[in-house]
Amino acid sequence: SSNGGILPPASLRVILEPTDAVNLGAKWTLDGGPALDSGFTVISLPAGGHSISYSSVPGYTAPITETITLTNGTVMTLTRTYELQGTLKITLDPLAVRTNGATFRVDGGAFFESDTVVSLAPGPHLVTYLAVPGWDPPTGETVTVQSGVATELTRTYSGDLDNDGMPDDWESQNGLNPN
């Protein structure tokens, strides 16, 4: 080490993966500045804390925004990965509940109609079902979505539309009129 030497300013390079996400427009920004390409090196940065954020890319979950600390005299290289999303499609049965407004939602967000394909980050998600008059919704559940995998489920509402004490699906299966 040199006595009394002044260290040069820090530099930062960010590599984004996978190539498919980069080809779809994955970029990174430093301290709210312009969007930068994967592999670009920013030089002459002041030492201290800096914020790195990542652009949205269709079908992928971006890395989370982070704060890094740079030190004079260093070149920091970070590799960050965009995660391929999975999809969830839920068919709500029977048809009568769909025409009466049956919907589902994921993680407390917006409601979706039957057979809507929802792109989600890999991992567990809470799915709940909207109550429809005359029908009992399926029980809320945790569904685990896998990266790049299309998950398809069918969930059934149960009902007794004629209020005779017998579930409509049982009446239909046993040759009785559910109305």
Side-chain angles (χ1 to χ4, degrees):
S1 85
S2 60
N3 259 343
I6 297 175
L7 294 174
S11 298
L12 173 66
R13 179 176 188 222
V14 177
I15 299 168
L16 301 175
E17 297 179 340
T19 303
D20 287 347
V22 172
N23 291 341
L24 288 170
K27 306 265 187 199
W28 62 282
T29 61
L30 180 66
D31 297 327
L36 303 170
D37 290 328
S38 176
F40 187 83
T41 302
V42 180
I43 59 172
S44 298
L45 292 168
H50 295 273
S51 174
I52 304 173
S53 59
Y54 303 90
S55 64
S56 296
V57 174
Y60 286 84
T61 299
I64 60 169
T65 297
E66 59 188 311
T67 300
I68 58 159
T69 302
L70 295 176
T71 306
N72 283 339
T74 62
V75 176
M76 181 182 283
T77 299
L78 301 175
T79 300
R80 295 296 181 258
T81 301
Y82 279 72
E83 200 167 10
L84 183 63
Q85 294 178 336
T87 60
L88 175 62
K89 174 183 168 186
I90 301 177
T91 300
L92 301 175
D93 279 338
L95 177 61
V97 297
R98 286 182 247 157
T99 59
N100 283 296
T103 55
F104 69 94
R105 68 177 170 181
V106 181
D107 298 329
F111 281 97
F112 298 101
E113 293 183 0
S114 180
D115 299 318
T116 300
V117 177
V118 183
S119 290
L120 298 167
H125 296 277
L126 177 62
V127 178
T128 54
Y129 303 90
L130 183 68
V132 174
W135 297 89
D136 293 324
T139 303
E141 61 189 309
T142 298
V143 175
T144 300
V145 173
Q146 296 178 357
S147 176
V149 175
T151 301
E152 295 190 11
L153 305 173
T154 298
R155 295 297 180 258
T156 304
Y157 280 68
S158 57
D160 180 19
L161 291 181
D162 57 3
N163 292 314
D164 64 2
M166 293 181 282
D168 292 344
D169 54 357
W170 184 89
E171 287 182 279
S172 295
Q173 291 166 6
N174 289 281
L176 300 173
N177 183 348
N179 300 315

